[in-house]
Amino acid sequence: MERTTVNGIDLAYDVEGEGAPLLFVHGAIWADFLRPLASQPALSGFRRIRYHRRGIGDSGGPAGGFGDQVADAVGLLDHLAVDSAHLVGHSEGAMIAMDLAAAHPDRVRSLVLLEPLPPFNWLAASDHAQILETFGPLMEAMAGRYQAGDVIGAYDALFTPQGLDWRAAAAAAGPDAISQGIDDAPTWFEHEAAALPEWTFGPAQAAAVDCPILSWCARPGMPLPRAVRACLHELFPQCEDADLEHGDHFSVATNPAAVAEPIAAFVTRQSVTTV
């Protein structure tokens, strides 16, 4: 990967292809979970920009909050002389992409949101209670394993009960993904995990976002994806949907071709209309 200094952080990034720019913002823990997606032939007509967020993968630290993450992404676009880009964010990366679009709407051509967490300040009380009931025990079990020094066990405690094969996704992301997830565990467990429930996004921020938006999710009938989808449609009237009925949160790595197809169709359409 290439490197540049952005906001005092040594940021690792990679650029492939030519065409309208796509900036991929990965989620928590694993820096390369979006590498299989960015490499799909369906997206080959775009300039695909991937980077490792601060404190993760080949980028330097320290870890930072959402404001720092937005500044890093904008700084990378500046470094690459990209005036505006289509953003493809996964999980926590989708939350960062939403904040970037709200703070810098002129830098964003469209948003592709791959299963962000919902802004808890905007959830219906019943949805909030159900999500806490489902995920609270998993988060507690994960934290307990991590505090005991068992990083692999912590990942198992969070993902395995959800039916998510994080090992298969890590293997698809690259040969070093599992070891990278162990090395960078402090960034997640000691910084980012605590910040996620405190993230807020509401009508004031959404009003600044006038770009086209695609909400992608797997198993849309499940409680968390259903709540996320409802939030996004309330916040963004222009939001379109794409679903992968038999996929899961890690399909971005394990079934990237199926995830890439609706993204390519959506971004191609937006690239044509914004020329």
Side-chain angles (χ1 to χ4, degrees), residues 60-268:
F66 280 88
D68 298 317
Q69 303 283 352
V70 167
D72 291 349
V74 171
L76 179 59
L77 293 178
D78 289 342
H79 171 72
L80 296 172
V82 174
D83 291 334
S84 62
H86 302 283
L87 303 189
V88 181
H90 177 233
S91 197
E92 184 180 349
M95 298 154 71
I96 294 166
M98 289 169 63
D99 275 357
L100 197 162
H104 304 276
D106 58 318
R107 307 303 297 268
V108 181
R109 300 187 188 189
S110 71
L111 277 177
V112 177
L113 304 175
L114 308 172
E115 297 199 321
L117 284 177
F120 288 99
N121 64 304
W122 196 241
L123 275 179
S126 58
D127 287 333
H128 196 174
Q130 184 175 19
I131 289 170
L132 287 178
E133 182 180 351
T134 301
F135 290 96
L138 302 184
M139 295 295 288
E140 290 178 7
M142 177 191 71
R145 292 283 189 92
Y146 176 73
Q147 291 165 4
D150 181 8
V151 174
I152 294 294
Y155 294 149
D156 285 336
L158 177 61
F159 297 119
T160 302
Q162 301 180 59
L164 297 175
D165 189 345
W166 68 269
R167 288 177 176 80
D176 300 324
I178 289 181
S179 59
Q180 178 259 304
I182 295 173
D183 292 342
D184 296 335
T187 296
W188 164 249
F189 288 102
E190 298 172 22
H191 298 280
E192 293 188 354
L196 294 183
E198 299 174 1
W199 177 68
T200 60
F201 193 98
Q205 295 100 318
V209 182
D210 59 0
C211 67
I213 298 173
L214 179 69
S215 165
W216 176 93
C217 75
R219 299 183 289 187
M222 299 291 286
L224 182 57
R226 186 172 63 245
V228 171
R229 177 64 58 73
C231 281
L232 292 179
H233 275 278
E234 284 190 61
L235 291 168
F236 305 116
Q238 73 272 36
C239 186
E240 302 179 23
D241 296 338
D243 299 331
L244 188 61
E245 291 287 349
H246 302 293
D248 63 40
H249 193 62
F250 293 153
S251 290
V252 294
T254 58
N255 191 7
V259 181
E261 290 174 5
I263 294 174
F266 172 79
V267 178
T268 298

